[in-house]
Amino acid sequence: MPRIAYVDGAYVPLREAAVSIEDRGLQFADSVYEVAVALNGRLFDWAGHLARLRRSLAELSIAEPMGPSALDLVARKLLAKNRAREAILYLQVTRGAARRDHGFPPNARPTLVMTVRPFDMSIRARQQATGIKVVTQPEQRWARRDIKTTSLLPNVLAKQAARQAGAFEAWMVEDGTITEGASTNAWIVESDGTLVTHPADHNILAGVMRGTLIRLACADGFKVEERAFSLQQASAAAEAFITSTTAPCLGVVSVNGRPVGKGAVGPVTLRLGRLLWGEIERQTGYRPATIG
Ligand SMILES: Cc1ncc(COP(=O)(O)O)c(C=O)c1O
């Protein structure tokens, strides 16, 4: 797969792609981003990602670099140039390059960067059988986690702590409540089968996959409650799982080394996983060889 990036109007080899060292994305993390997956060459839940990007930009008063249909065109052209079938599309918009000064620069033009890298989604389908381990970390992020900014240092530290503990994800705990993972949303399944996930307020990022799963689960007859849950409730839950664009539905088998439920991926999580893979196939035609 060739590696071509899009930077401010030009399609360039990844190794030559560059932005100014005075870009506010670099200087202040004054920027927002999106991550979408292309499967079978088609973007999954793309409209949801474009809508969230527009919202993030508006919340921070960063100008849209171009309208949604032009953005869509660039993304598709970039996927085609990279001959990408199964890939992650990364998109970042910064407030632009300007002399370093905290306040908004008067005439900055937003910088738009897009990259594509190969991604084998079938790994996630296989991971569904074994599940993942989670550790908890103190919530250290700012008060507007609903905006998808590149200001991710607390997420980076939490993920690294998880890796060092041999876990896949870190769940952030604030006042005894689990907000979300470092790069995923957190869910539990109660003993009566109710699905619980944190409300989409300022304390978490409203994951696109989270929204898709709520829609599919409700249509399938599940009761879904958007409310905060504690670490104790998670430990006592029948099942727990995470969702994200690149990890559609992975069962959590332990939190801080203590088993959740029976310590294996539960039947509800597996059913929800099948619902999501069905939706992925419906939108993109992609179906992994094995679904755990
Ligand atoms: C903090 C955080 N929460 C949740 C998610 C899941 O969002 P999505 O389902 O849109 O990938 C992400 C994804 O990057 C994230 O960074």
Side-chain angles (χ1 to χ4, degrees):
M1 186 177 127
R3 300 295 308 275
I4 309 291
Y6 174 90
V7 185
D8 263 344
Y11 296 89
V12 289
L14 186 67
R15 288 196 308 159
E16 291 163 28
V19 294
S20 163
I21 61 163
E22 289 209 298
D23 194 284
R24 291 177 66 92
L26 177 64
Q27 299 278 356
F28 298 112
D30 189 359
S31 49
V32 302
Y33 76 108
E34 278 298 326
V35 173
V37 283
L39 298 166
N40 209 19
R42 293 192 213 140
L43 286 160
F44 179 68
D45 272 350
W46 182 223
H49 289 281
L50 285 177
R52 186 171 63 186
L53 177 71
R54 291 189 90 183
R55 179 183 181 277
S56 295
L57 290 169
E59 290 295 318
L60 298 175
S61 305
I62 298 177
E64 287 185 35
M66 58 181 71
S69 51
L71 212 54
D72 177 53
L73 208 70
V74 171
R76 287 174 201 284
K77 212 164 154 183
L78 189 66
L79 285 170
K81 282 184 184 291
N82 281 281
R83 295 200 285 280
R85 305 294 296 168
E86 271 78 69
I88 288 177
L89 176 78
Y90 178 82
L91 186 167
Q92 184 176 343
V93 182
T94 82
R95 198 180 301 279
R99 186 175 65 87
R100 191 176 184 282
D101 179 17
H102 286 64
F104 294 176
N107 301 313
R109 215 170 31 84
T111 305
L112 169 61
V113 167
M114 272 192 228
T115 56
V116 167
R117 76 172 153 91
F119 179 64
D120 182 6
M121 191 72 144
S122 66
I123 289 169
R124 297 292 185 245
R126 287 195 295 276
Q127 242 176 329
Q128 265 188 219
T130 47
I132 57 145
K133 294 176 186 166
V134 160
V135 292
T136 57
Q137 284 290 298
E139 178 64 89
Q140 301 194 77
R141 296 175 299 161
W142 73 325
R144 290 301 307 275
R145 303 160 200 155
D146 55 310
I147 306 171
K148 197 164 169 65
T149 80
T150 61
S151 181
L152 290 170
L153 196 48
N155 309 56
V156 166
L157 296 177
K159 189 72 96 177
Q160 182 59 21
R163 295 222 170 122
Q164 280 168 355
F168 183 84
E169 182 57 303
W171 275 359
M172 318 280 207
V173 182
E174 185 170 53
D175 302 329
T177 288
I178 292 164
T179 52
E180 62 182 332
S183 63
T184 59
N185 288 116
W187 300 66
I188 57 170
V189 183
E190 293 187 327
S191 50
D192 66 354
T194 303
L195 311 182
V196 184
T197 192
H198 196 289
D201 54 20
H202 286 181
N203 294 318
I204 67 155
L205 183 76
V208 173
M209 197 61 88
R210 172 189 178 281
T212 297
L213 186 59
I214 289 175
R215 179 171 59 77
L216 294 175
C218 289
D220 199 51
F222 280 99
K223 191 166 144 206
V224 181
E225 290 184 2
E226 293 182 65
R227 61 173 156 83
F229 59 87
S230 66
L231 178 55
Q232 280 74 13
Q233 285 170 313
S235 304
E239 300 178 32
F241 62 93
I242 60 166
T243 55
S244 80
T245 294
T246 56
C249 183
L250 293 180
V252 172
V253 296
S254 70
V255 177
N256 294 336
R258 267 175 246 116
V260 176
K262 297 198 167 81
V265 181
V268 172
T269 304
L270 289 174
R271 165 139 197 97
L272 296 170
R274 280 194 291 271
L275 289 178
L276 279 176
W277 287 109
E279 178 63 11
I280 286 169
E281 187 174 7
R282 193 186 67 78
Q283 285 190 35
T284 66
Y286 175 85
R287 188 173 173 75
T290 34
I291 299 177

